[in-house]
Amino acid sequence: MAPGISLDPRRPVCNDKVEEMLRNKRLQAHKQNIARSRSLIQNQWSVREETKLQVSRKNAKKEVLEEERFSGIEKENRRLLGRMQEIERKGSQKAVAQLVLGTGP
């Protein structure tokens, strides 16, 4: 049999030094395999994919929802501004009426 190969894998084949040498040899081969390995996953876009997917990167639904939200905010702001102007106008009318009638605060 070749060195480092036994019929029973749980039992050592030769002395400790030879076993250690074979274990180190297998470990070095394993480390080399890992160093040479390359990722199978491509996690970057190619130029062709980039141009093809440019349109789909625009989130139309999100833009529509934002536009609806902003228009609602603008509508509410206009309503509040009108209400504040009305309160101010009534307040000044009330002050003029108090001056005319002479019933001051």
Side-chain angles (χ1 to χ4, degrees):
M1 284 217 166
I5 298 175
S6 77
L7 296 175
D8 186 8
R10 294 173 295 211
R11 299 180 70 198
V13 178
C14 4
N15 64 20
D16 289 340
K17 293 291 182 186
V18 174
E19 288 293 324
E20 185 179 345
M21 179 202 61
L22 292 173
R23 194 174 308 117
N24 286 338
K25 187 176 178 182
R26 280 189 234 111
L27 181 63
Q28 288 303 319
H30 175 69
K31 285 182 179 180
Q32 285 177 353
N33 286 339
I34 290 174
R36 284 192 311 252
S37 68
R38 290 183 27 185
S39 174
L40 297 177
I41 298 172
Q42 179 187 2
N43 54 356
Q44 292 183 348
W45 296 100
S46 69
V47 174
R48 189 177 71 79
E49 291 170 330
E50 191 71 42
T51 56
K52 183 179 177 183
L53 296 174
Q54 196 72 346
V55 176
S56 66
R57 286 191 175 201
K58 182 179 175 184
N59 193 345
K61 184 176 181 179
K62 181 180 177 183
E63 289 179 6
V64 168
L65 291 175
E66 278 185 356
E67 186 61 38
E68 288 176 0
R69 185 172 148 254
F70 290 148
S71 67
I73 290 171
E74 288 293 323
K75 183 179 177 183
E76 183 66 16
N77 285 345
R78 282 192 301 274
R79 187 188 71 77
L80 290 173
L81 181 62
R83 182 75 175 121
M84 286 172 31
Q85 288 173 344
E86 181 183 331
I87 290 170
E88 187 177 288
R89 192 172 43 249
K90 283 184 180 179
S92 64
Q93 289 174 357
K94 190 175 185 181
V96 169
Q98 286 177 350
L99 287 176
V100 171
L101 297 175
T103 57

